[in-house]
Amino acid sequence: MLEPVPGLEFFPGPHRYRMNGLWVPHSVTQVLGFDMSPSKRAAIERTKEGPDGWEARGNAVHKALEAHLKSMSGTNDRGVIYDDKWADWIEPLLDHPIFKGVEVLASEYSVYDSHKNCAGSFDFLLRTTSSEDKRIILGDAKSVSTRKSLSARKPADAQLAAYQSMLASLHPSLLVTDLVTVVCGPGEVRILNTDAESAWTHWEEAWGRYSVTLPNW
């Protein structure tokens, strides 16, 4: 497992980062969401809260995946505990082939870009163990409410590129070969692959739109 980035802390409540005791002013989530349309933002907020909202589902899925990956790496001996309410999302996710035949390099890992003073966290970094298949896979998990939403979900291109760029500056010897969005819906999982070159363009464009709104940038 990768060691945490020295000095980098994540605070889940306010969803903020601190680097060497100073608050990090920008996050990947903030950059990619700042110019979201009002109608889309309203729809997200409308479906967020409550026991059946996307926040509760997403938290349950991510906690289960993190526990599963830490069990694989030997850093969690308590097993995976989750509410049966979300079993249709969690069980197919944990049983997916992408998590077979791999070494877990990182789970819920926070990264930082000192130039942009921006931070973020990705869900997993895996290294395949087959002698015939040498890959390092950086990925993020998403959950959706229905199978219809599952088929419509787009890959998190710019988000993954942001994480890859930060990881590359922190761990230059790690060459990520695959960027994937793992989307889980009720009873089904889809793997969406991202082209790294075009994804990096999307991230830099998103940062460009965001940064022009900043004073003295």
Side-chain angles (χ1 to χ4, degrees):
M1 296 280 282
L2 295 182
E3 292 295 325
V5 176
L8 184 60
E9 303 171 273
F10 175 58
F11 297 83
H15 197 87
R16 293 195 66 186
Y17 297 85
R18 199 162 61 185
M19 185 65 173
N20 294 327
L22 299 176
W23 290 110
V24 177
H26 318 298
S27 72
V28 174
T29 301
Q30 180 182 354
V31 172
L32 296 179
F34 97 100
D35 58 354
M36 185 183 298
S37 69
S39 60
K40 185 175 180 179
R41 193 180 300 277
I44 289 174
E45 289 300 318
R46 187 173 62 250
T47 56
K48 175 182 178 180
E49 305 293 344
D52 298 318
W54 62 259
E55 185 174 49
R57 182 187 67 239
N59 286 340
V61 167
H62 280 85
K63 286 179 181 178
L65 178 59
E66 181 181 14
H68 178 63
L69 295 176
K70 287 185 174 179
S71 294
M72 290 171 57
S73 67
T75 58
N76 170 25
D77 57 6
R78 293 172 296 178
V80 182
I81 302 171
Y82 55 86
D83 189 333
D84 286 343
K85 176 179 184 176
W86 306 115
D88 285 349
W89 282 260
I90 293 171
E91 290 176 0
L93 174 65
L94 304 190
D95 196 45
H96 195 275
I98 195 171
F99 302 116
K100 312 292 184 183
V102 293
E103 173 192 3
V104 180
L105 298 180
S107 173
E108 290 295 329
Y109 192 76
S110 296
V111 286
Y112 175 70
D113 183 327
S114 59
H115 174 66
K116 292 181 172 67
N117 204 2
C118 180
S121 299
F122 59 81
D123 290 334
F124 59 83
L125 186 69
L126 312 173
R127 179 161 52 200
T128 55
T129 56
S130 169
S131 59
E132 299 176 355
D133 177 22
K134 294 293 186 182
R135 290 178 294 142
I136 294 181
I137 305 165
L138 188 155
D140 213 63
K142 308 292 184 184
S143 70
V144 294
S145 58
T146 65
R147 290 197 173 190
K148 181 179 180 181
S149 299
L150 186 74
S151 62
R153 189 64 166 82
K154 302 296 184 184
D157 290 345
Q159 183 180 5
L160 290 169
Y163 300 148
Q164 184 185 18
S165 66
M166 295 179 190
L167 185 67
S169 66
L170 296 165
H171 299 282
S173 63
L174 276 176
L175 179 60
V176 172
T177 60
D178 295 50
L179 299 176
V180 299
T181 308
V182 180
V183 188
C184 59
E188 189 176 352
V189 173
R190 288 184 67 208
I191 304 295
L192 307 179
N193 294 289
T194 284
D195 174 72
E197 185 174 347
S198 61
W200 277 47
T201 300
H202 295 327
W203 166 240
E204 289 302 326
E205 289 175 348
W207 174 260
R209 294 192 301 272
Y210 172 80
S211 64
V212 297
T213 69
L214 304 176
N216 304 319
W217 184 260

